[in-house]
Amino acid sequence: MTRKKIELGDIFELKIIKGFIYLQCVNIPEDKTQVELIRVYYDIHRTRPSDFTLIQKSSYFYIGFVLQAASNKKIIEKVCNIPIEKDFELPRYFRTKNLSGDGWHIVDAIAWKRQSFKKLNNNQKQLSPWGIWNDTLIKERMNNGWKLENWDI
C-alpha cells in the first residue's frame, strides 16, 4: 500500500456532525518532529462543493495539525490541490491563553518568545491559536461555531 505524500495547497475534507469542513496545507516543515500548518475554513458544507476555489475566499484560521498522519489513517480525505497564493507568508504571531494567570500570550513563531497581555486589541484577536489540534478538537470546535472572534469573549 503506497501512502501519498501531502503537498502544499492540498485541500482535505473532514466530516463533522453538521456536514463537511475543509483544511488546506500551507506549510510542510523540514523538521519531521514538527507538524504541518493548515488553514481551517469556517464554512460548513452539507455536500462537497463543485468549485473549491470558492473555499479559498472564505474565512479561516491557522493551526498545527498532523496532516500526513491523518491522511494516512483516512481521518481526512484529499479532494484537490489549489496552489497557495504567490504572496503568501506564513503567519509569525499566534495567541494562546495564559495558563498561569489572566489574559493571553502572543507567541512569536520565529523567535519562540511570548509576550503577555491582559486584554487583546482587535488585531490580536485575529491571531490564530498557538499549538496543535487533533481532528477531534477541530470537529468539536467547528460543530460549536467556534471562531477567533468569539474565543473567550
Side-chain angles (χ1 to χ4, degrees):
M1 178 166 132
T2 61
R3 293 182 179 173
K4 293 196 174 196
K5 280 191 83 120
I6 58 172
E7 298 177 6
L8 288 179
D10 282 353
I11 303 239
F12 294 86
E13 182 176 79
L14 178 63
K15 175 101 173 89
I16 66 171
I17 291 170
K18 295 181 176 183
F20 300 96
I21 59 168
Y22 293 92
L23 321 171
Q24 185 176 34
C25 179
V26 297
N27 187 47
I28 302 169
E30 290 180 25
D31 180 349
K32 296 303 175 193
T33 64
Q34 296 180 356
V35 301
E36 296 81 16
L37 186 69
I38 61 169
R39 284 181 184 148
V40 178
Y41 293 96
Y42 290 118
D43 292 347
I44 299 171
H45 302 263
R46 292 261 176 233
T47 60
R48 185 176 287 175
S50 57
D51 183 1
F52 280 96
T53 59
L54 297 177
I55 286 176
Q56 276 193 310
K57 293 177 174 52
S58 61
S59 298
Y60 57 84
F61 64 94
Y62 296 101
I63 194 68
F65 183 64
V66 289
L67 194 62
Q68 183 70 63
S71 178
N72 293 348
K73 293 182 178 184
K74 300 188 184 333
I75 293 169
I76 55 175
E77 179 183 350
K78 180 180 172 183
V79 292
C80 68
N81 181 292
I82 298 175
I84 303 296
E85 304 84 356
K86 297 229 183 283
D87 61 347
F88 175 76
E89 291 183 24
L90 288 172
R92 178 169 181 170
Y93 297 98
F94 295 84
R95 67 173 161 137
T96 187
K97 286 184 180 182
N98 180 353
L99 298 178
S100 61
D102 291 338
W104 297 86
H105 284 158
I106 302 299
V107 181
D108 180 332
I110 295 173
W112 283 72
K113 292 189 178 189
R114 293 172 181 252
Q115 190 173 1
S116 295
F117 294 87
K118 287 283 186 191
K119 292 190 113 185
L120 298 176
N121 64 36
N122 288 336
N123 289 336
Q124 291 168 326
K125 288 178 184 177
Q126 295 305 310
L127 296 175
S128 292
W130 173 250
I132 301 167
W133 289 4
N134 64 17
D135 60 294
T136 303
L137 185 55
I138 292 173
K139 289 176 184 180
E140 177 184 304
R141 296 263 168 105
M142 299 309 288
N143 278 319
N144 291 324
W146 183 94
K147 291 192 176 185
L148 291 173
E149 297 82 26
N150 62 20
W151 184 13
D152 282 318
I153 290 179

